[in-house]
Every structure is written in structure tokens, then in C-alpha cells.
Amino acid sequence: MAYSAAPDSGAWTLLIATTVVTVCCSELQNMEPEFLNPMQNVTVALGREATLVCSVKNIGEHKVGWLKAEDQTILSLHERVVTENRRIDIDVDNNTYWKLKIRQLQRSDKGCYMCQINTQEMKNQIGCVDVKVPPDIKDDETISDITVMEGANATLVCKAKGNPVPKITWKREEEKRIILKKKLKEISYEKVHGEPLFLVNVRRSQMGHYLCIASNDVPPAVSKRITLNIQFAPEITVPNQVVNASRDTTGRLECTVESFPFAQTYWEDSKGNSITTSENTYKLEEIKTSHYKVTMYLEILKLEYSDFQKNYTCLAKNSLGTANGFLRLHEIIKPTTTTTTTSTTTTTTTTPKPTTVSTTTRMITRPPVIPSSPTNRKNSKVHEGDRKYGGKSVDTTGRRMNGVEKFDEIETQSSSHRASRGSSRARRSTVSQSVGIAAELVLLAAVTAGWSTGCAVDAVVGLVSLALAACPPLFLLAWRDGDVPQ
């Protein structure tokens, strides 16, 4: 019997290892590439960089390529870029992560891209790039100006593009408010959202510039100005129809004109003559205060009398009508300043000083009287009576002189308390007093002469005349003091 020799253990180990390697390599060759994860879409703002990532395992000898899904344009083959777009690049990480990079993203880059593996049965994934585009006004679809008649309706249209789709907001310039009518009510808004903007039964106050503002999540927002014009015939308002002024000054007349289209404005006088700017006579000025309002001024220089006799007319005219306003000047007479010199007359009442009358009495020594017949005795009584009367005359003169002094004192007091009665009464009193005193002195001298010559008849006549002469001053003194009987 014959026996074969058994192989040793080392040979068996080598045989097993070779068999395992052959089987593993055969399995590896039979395994195809697969995608690890679905590709994620990206959204990137315009001008930035967008990156799409394609994850592949078991790539082996297979190739990865990028295409634009929309038109199947090949962008790259494995690690080589084949497109002429220099903004596209390929980046591979560990032979697993295949990245498509698009720099300086443009609107045209928006769309979907395909990651493809060249297996026997083609495998691919699609990822999309969304480009955020800031808003932009479509000028060809947006009105710039709109003109309607007052009382009509107006529609403001504004179109914009962008990604995301822009939102439209309306505002007015100069911080004015937008007026909308809802259910027969007028409501004012600072801003209104939405497009278009409807304005119903428009008024002149709604005339002006409106802003169409387009915005989305991508800055910056954009806007466009739309002008709303509202046509109406001229209207004139005169703040002051009568203007007060003085001669040799400047008169300023004012009219406010509202119109659209803007009216032609001018001034006329009462004769219908047109007033133009003149260096020495007239000055014209106009100031625009709003989209439809103008204030016109007429200055009349160095006003004269004839300027106050005229009427002035401000006129405005456009294609829809004519309007006018009437004004006139009212003269203010300046008060005349007169320099008055006041002359003060001071009346001085001079009270005559008491006059002292010196009376010289001559002493006549008579012989002793011898008793005589009754007739002589009777005559003697007459002589005694004459002497007695003469004494009384002297006393009366004395009393008259005292009366003059008293009259002087009263006159002095009256002058101090009654100066307002004038100087005429004082002069009258002084003249009367002086005349009375002079008469008394003359008559007194006559009486004295009569006594000295011994003529009784002359003495008696002198005393009577003296009494009569003294009456007027005493009567005047009593009348001034209110003692004259009524």
C-alpha cells in the first residue's frame, strides 16, 4: 500500500490568504460608486459666491462631472474645468466631496446644477442655486408723470423686479400725507402699501410728487418719483383789498394765485393800462410757494395824491380760464407837528401905599366974644355950628383916610386870592382910588383956605363937595365887598 505525503501548515496558510485576496478584489471591482447624501440647495445674494457639494463613495476608477441641468452644458470632468466661464471652479476633498464653486454670482447663474457619475447606468444628483436680487424699478412699465382734471380719478402705476419679488410702498415728498377715500370718508396716511395706487376725486392739494419704493430682503431698496398734476382754472385771493399808506412812502399790494397749468399774471390800473416794472414808480415780484400757488406783489414807490385815486387789478390767465382781484390804496394823513410857543403873561397888581395927607392947621387967635344981642348970639351959634361942622369935616376926612388904608389892605388880600379874575378889576380899583384921593386933597385944601379966611360960606361949600367926592370910592369899596344894597 502506498501513502502520499501531507502538505505542511505553512503551505496551507499561504493558500488561504491568496484565495481571500482574490475574492476581496473581485468584490471591490464589482462595487459601484454611490452618493452619500442628497445635495443641498443654496440661496446666495447677487455678487457673492455659491457652492454646491456632491458627496460620493467608492468612486474607484469612475469619474465625476458637473453640468447645468437646464441646458446640459458640461462644466467639468472629474477635476478638470471644461467651461469657458472663469467664475466656475472645482474643488475635491478626500476624493469624496466634489464641490462646484461659482464666484461673483450673477442673475444668469440662477438655476439647477447636476453632479453625475459615469457608471454603466448613469447616476446623478441635482442641486439648485437661487440668486437673491435687489429690487429694481421697471421703467418701461412705470409711469413718470400723470395729469388729470380736478375732481377726476387718478391711478399711479409702479412695477419692480427682484428676487424675492419686491414689495411696493407709496409715500409723498415733503412729509405730506396721502389722502384716500374709503366709504365716502377721507383718510390720510403717511404711507400706503401695494400697487397700483388709486386716488378718487382728486383735489389740488393732492398735487405733487409721489415716491414708489420697492424693497425686498436684499438691500438696497429703490424708489422712483411720480408726479401727479391736477389741472384747474385760475383762482385769485386778495388778503387785503384796502391797503393803508401815506404819501412819499411805498405801497405794497398782494395777490395769491392758484392755477395749473401755471397762469400768466399781470397788473392793471383803473384805466386798464398794464403796469410794468419802472425804476422810479413800480416794482413787480412773484414768489412760487407750491406746485400750483404763486404770490404776486406790486410795490408803488413814493406815493403821490394821484396814486390814491386809482384802483388796481391783479389778473391771472391760463388755458382753462381767467381770474382777477381788485385793490386800492387808502391814504393815511400824517399828523402835523406844530411847535407852539406859550407866552405866559403875569399880571402884577400894585397896591398903592397908604397916602399920608399932611394938613397944616393955622391957629387963629380971635378976640374974646362979647355977649351980644340974641341975633348976634344966634349968629354965634351958627359960627359954633360951623366950627363944629368943620371939626366934623376934619374927623370925616380922618375917617376917609382911615377908609383908604382899610381899602388898601382889602385890595391886597383880594389880589392874592383872586388873581385869576384878571388885571382889569385891579386897574379899575386903583384908578378909582387915585381919583378919589386926588379929589379929597383938592377939596380939603379948599376947606382949609375957607377957614383961614374966615369965610363960612366957602367952608360949608367945601365940606359938601368933599363929602360928594368921597362917595364914589366908598361906593366902589362897598360894591366890591358885596355890601351894596340890592
Side-chain angles (χ1 to χ4, degrees):
M1 166 182 253
Y3 297 92
S4 60
D8 57 4
S9 59
W12 283 107
T13 303
L14 179 59
L15 180 61
I16 294 171
T18 301
T19 302
V20 170
V21 170
T22 301
V23 172
C24 289
C25 289
S26 177
E27 291 180 355
L28 287 173
Q29 289 176 356
N30 293 330
M31 291 179 61
E32 292 186 353
E34 294 181 0
F35 294 108
L36 292 176
N37 301 304
M39 192 185 304
Q40 300 294 323
N41 298 328
V42 294
T43 300
V44 182
L46 188 70
R48 301 295 182 87
E49 182 179 277
T51 302
L52 293 174
V53 179
C54 181
S55 303
V56 180
K57 69 177 180 177
N58 302 328
I59 187 63
E61 298 297 328
H62 296 84
K63 305 295 183 181
V64 175
W66 286 95
L67 301 88
K68 191 160 185 182
E70 183 179 2
D71 54 9
Q72 297 295 307
T73 302
I74 298 175
L75 303 176
S76 68
L77 290 174
H78 214 55
E79 297 182 2
R80 183 169 61 94
V81 178
V82 297
T83 181
E84 295 180 357
N85 189 344
R86 297 180 179 274
R87 296 182 294 107
I88 292 179
D89 195 8
I90 299 297
D91 188 13
V92 180
D93 185 9
N94 197 23
N95 211 32
T96 302
Y97 300 102
W98 299 78
K99 301 177 181 177
L100 173 65
K101 294 183 177 180
I102 307 174
R103 298 185 301 271
Q104 299 176 2
L105 199 63
Q106 298 178 1
R107 289 185 178 90
S108 59
D109 298 326
K110 179 182 178 180
C112 295
Y113 295 82
M114 180 185 296
C115 173
Q116 189 178 71
I117 304 174
N118 61 341
T119 56
Q120 185 176 2
E121 184 179 350
M122 193 70 65
K123 294 182 179 180
N124 58 58
Q125 276 188 337
I126 294 178
C128 297
V129 175
D130 190 12
V131 181
K132 282 189 174 182
V133 180
D136 188 20
I137 302 292
K138 297 179 180 180
D139 292 330
D140 56 340
E141 300 181 26
T142 301
I143 62 174
S144 57
D145 295 328
I146 180 172
T147 301
V148 297
M149 292 295 295
E150 188 171 31
N153 299 333
T155 302
L156 307 185
V157 179
C158 181
K159 299 293 184 179
K161 60 184 178 180
N163 186 35
V165 177
K167 297 179 180 179
I168 301 297
T169 303
W170 295 93
K171 295 183 67 176
R172 291 190 66 180
E173 288 187 347
E174 301 174 356
E175 299 182 355
K176 295 181 179 179
R177 299 179 71 86
I178 298 176
I179 300 175
L180 298 180
K181 289 188 177 181
K182 294 184 177 180
K183 297 180 180 180
L184 302 178
K185 291 184 179 180
E186 288 188 350
I187 304 176
S188 63
Y189 299 90
E190 181 181 354
K191 55 186 177 180
V192 177
H193 300 285
E195 192 276 332
L197 177 64
F198 295 103
L199 301 175
V200 180
N201 190 20
V202 293
R203 301 193 309 271
R204 67 191 66 177
S205 60
Q206 294 175 268
M207 183 186 301
H209 301 305
Y210 290 75
L211 292 178
C212 165
I213 303 172
S215 61
N216 58 11
D217 296 336
V218 185
V222 293
S223 65
K224 183 175 182 179
R225 174 191 287 176
I226 298 176
T227 302
L228 173 61
N229 297 318
I230 301 175
Q231 293 184 334
F232 58 96
E235 294 182 4
I236 290 182
T237 303
V238 180
N240 295 307
Q241 289 188 315
V242 179
V243 178
N244 296 323
S246 302
R247 294 190 192 182
D248 297 325
T249 63
T250 298
R252 186 177 174 90
L253 308 181
E254 175 184 347
C255 290
T256 300
V257 181
E258 296 182 6
S259 64
F260 194 87
F262 278 113
Q264 177 186 3
T265 58
Y266 53 99
W267 292 87
E268 289 183 353
D269 59 17
S270 54
K271 296 182 179 179
N273 298 322
S274 180
I275 297 175
T276 58
T277 299
S278 175
E279 182 178 355
N280 299 322
T281 308
Y282 300 112
K283 180 180 178 182
L284 278 67
E285 182 182 8
E286 286 189 0
I287 299 177
K288 181 180 178 181
T289 56
S290 74
H291 298 288
Y292 58 90
K293 186 180 296 185
V294 171
T295 301
M296 51 190 298
Y297 297 96
L298 170 62
E299 289 187 357
I300 307 172
L301 310 177
K302 298 181 181 179
L303 289 172
E304 300 177 353
Y305 172 78
S306 60
D307 296 323
F308 295 96
Q309 309 306 311
K310 301 177 183 178
N311 291 326
Y312 300 88
T313 305
C314 55
L315 299 99
K317 181 180 181 180
N318 68 4
S319 58
L320 301 176
T322 304
N324 52 37
F326 301 96
L327 305 91
R328 65 182 182 88
L329 292 169
H330 176 262
E331 183 178 5
I332 298 177
I333 301 176
K334 293 182 179 180
T336 304
T337 304
T338 304
T339 303
T340 304
T341 302
T342 303
S343 177
T344 303
T345 303
T346 303
T347 302
T348 304
T349 302
T350 303
T351 303
K353 295 181 180 181
T355 302
T356 303
V357 180
S358 299
T359 303
T360 302
T361 305
R362 290 190 298 176
M363 300 301 294
I364 300 174
T365 303
R366 294 181 181 275
V369 179
I370 300 173
S372 59
S373 61
T375 303
N376 293 335
R377 203 175 290 119
K378 181 178 180 179
N379 292 336
S380 177
K381 291 180 180 179
V382 171
H383 286 291
E384 289 177 1
D386 291 341
R387 286 192 297 271
K388 183 178 180 181
Y389 185 77
K392 183 178 180 180
S393 175
V394 173
D395 292 342
T396 300
T397 302
R399 285 195 302 271
R400 175 59 186 158
M401 295 302 295
N402 292 335
V404 171
E405 293 176 359
K406 182 177 180 181
F407 181 83
D408 292 341
E409 293 177 1
I410 293 173
E411 182 65 25
T412 302
Q413 294 177 0
S414 175
S415 298
S416 63
H417 291 289
R418 302 177 184 179
S420 62
R421 295 185 180 181
S423 60
S424 59
R425 182 177 296 179
R427 288 194 297 269
R428 184 176 59 188
S429 299
T430 304
V431 170
S432 301
Q433 180 181 355
S434 300
V435 170
I437 293 175
E440 290 175 8
L441 290 176
V442 172
L443 296 175
L444 182 61
V447 171
T448 304
W451 279 111
S452 60
T453 55
C455 181
V457 175
D458 293 338
V460 171
V461 172
L463 289 175
V464 173
S465 300
L466 180 62
L468 292 175
C471 287
L474 292 176
F475 176 78
L476 290 174
L477 181 62
W479 170 71
R480 190 190 66 177
D481 294 337
D483 297 331
V484 177
Q486 301 295 330

